[in-house]
Amino acid sequence: MTFDADTKMQFLYTLRSKGVTDARVLTAMEQVDRADFVRGIFAERAYEDMPLPIACGQTISQPSVVGLMTQALQINPRDKVLEIGTGSGYQAAILSKLARRVYTIDRYRRLVEGARAVFAKQQIANITTFTADGSFGLADQAPFDRILLTAAAEDPPGPLLAQLRIGGIMVLPVGQSDAVQSLIRVTRLDTGYEYDELRAVRFVPLLEGLGQE
Ligand code: SAH
């Protein structure tokens, strides 16, 4: 699938109109071809601002939500970032353009393998993938400068809070699945954690254990 310059211009215009204004985030989103992360008939809709179905009954997030979450993370070029919920790999690819290294985890091996193939195709070399229950984070690689969850938890998982560096930022949707959730930002201070609520969102739930595919 090839897209013309007008389609990409329109895409960037839509992102800006929905509040994605950080120039570095917009540049990253211009660089990463979302069509590679979407299969079959949905690929032609890759530049529409909507979530789309991917394998294993999951979804690739809406681009403007990807942009807003990435912007809220305030990533620095030297940061080590952890993402829970690889899905298609699109969000991880955006993070990889802004950070030094990205670790991404999904509970479905099939999704992780699909994402790895796209990272190779796009010559992205600073993402490390894992098939695991991401609620426990990655103790071996901790602490992280930034952590992003792209599946909704009822509360921020304790191991992830513990694996956030002091001064670090975690962004995640919280709330019951199937209800409206809130996107929140957690900042770790040396005295504790500070929480702020960003907006209403809707994500698939964070589930326990490994997936069957
Ligand atoms: N960030 C993705 C979209 C994620 S959809 C993208 O850019 O395409 C949410 C993902 O979270 C799904 O792929 C789901 O399998 C995964 N997930 C849910 N619970 C999980 C858990 N406990 N550990 C790891 N991944 C999980």
Side-chain angles (χ1 to χ4, degrees):
M1 184 79 29
T2 51
F3 292 91
D4 57 22
D6 277 358
T7 307
K8 288 211 172 167
M9 284 264 285
Q10 181 64 42
F11 179 67
L12 292 173
Y13 177 81
T14 303
L15 293 173
R16 275 194 214 95
S17 72
K18 296 201 176 170
V20 185
T21 51
D22 184 310
R24 291 182 64 234
V25 174
L26 287 166
T27 301
M29 294 187 76
E30 189 176 0
Q31 284 170 4
V32 175
D33 187 357
R34 188 169 182 254
D36 283 345
F37 297 90
V38 189
R39 299 273 172 268
I41 56 162
F42 293 109
E44 63 197 56
R45 307 183 74 170
Y47 285 91
E48 293 176 29
D49 190 30
M50 52 168 61
L52 293 168
I54 57 170
C56 306
Q58 305 303 311
T59 50
I60 177 172
S61 310
Q62 184 176 354
S64 56
V65 174
V66 169
L68 290 169
M69 290 195 300
T70 308
Q71 188 166 282
L73 278 172
Q74 299 168 1
I75 297 171
N76 296 306
R78 296 210 49 76
D79 284 351
K80 185 162 80 167
V81 181
L82 173 65
E83 181 200 23
I84 314 300
T86 312
S88 67
Y90 178 64
Q91 171 76 70
I94 304 293
L95 298 172
S96 79
K97 303 291 178 193
L98 299 165
R100 178 169 55 88
R101 177 145 289 280
V102 177
Y103 297 85
T104 184
I105 312 179
D106 205 285
R107 55 193 291 280
Y108 286 106
R109 183 172 306 280
R110 186 172 159 203
L111 291 175
V112 170
E113 284 173 1
R116 284 172 63 109
V118 186
F119 302 151
K121 180 184 177 213
Q122 295 195 354
Q123 297 182 307
I124 296 173
N126 61 338
I127 301 178
T128 310
T129 59
F130 297 86
T131 304
D133 181 343
S135 322
F136 301 101
L138 278 180
D140 286 357
Q141 299 298 336
F144 296 95
D145 302 292
R146 301 290 185 263
I147 300 178
L148 177 62
L149 274 84
T150 65
E154 281 184 30
D155 294 299
L160 298 181
L161 288 171
Q163 289 174 27
L164 189 61
R165 188 189 297 285
I166 291 172
I169 297 173
M170 171 155 78
V171 170
L172 74 160
V174 291
Q176 306 281 344
S177 57
D178 292 336
V180 175
Q181 305 143 1
S182 300
L183 190 67
I184 65 164
R185 173 167 52 200
V186 182
T187 308
R188 183 163 190 182
L189 310 171
D190 43 9
T191 49
Y193 297 87
E194 189 177 85
Y195 296 81
D196 53 301
E197 213 172 303
L198 305 176
R199 51 170 280 157
V201 283
R202 189 159 187 184
F203 278 84
V204 299
L206 188 74
L207 299 175
E208 279 178 29
L210 286 185
Q212 288 305 308
E213 289 181 82

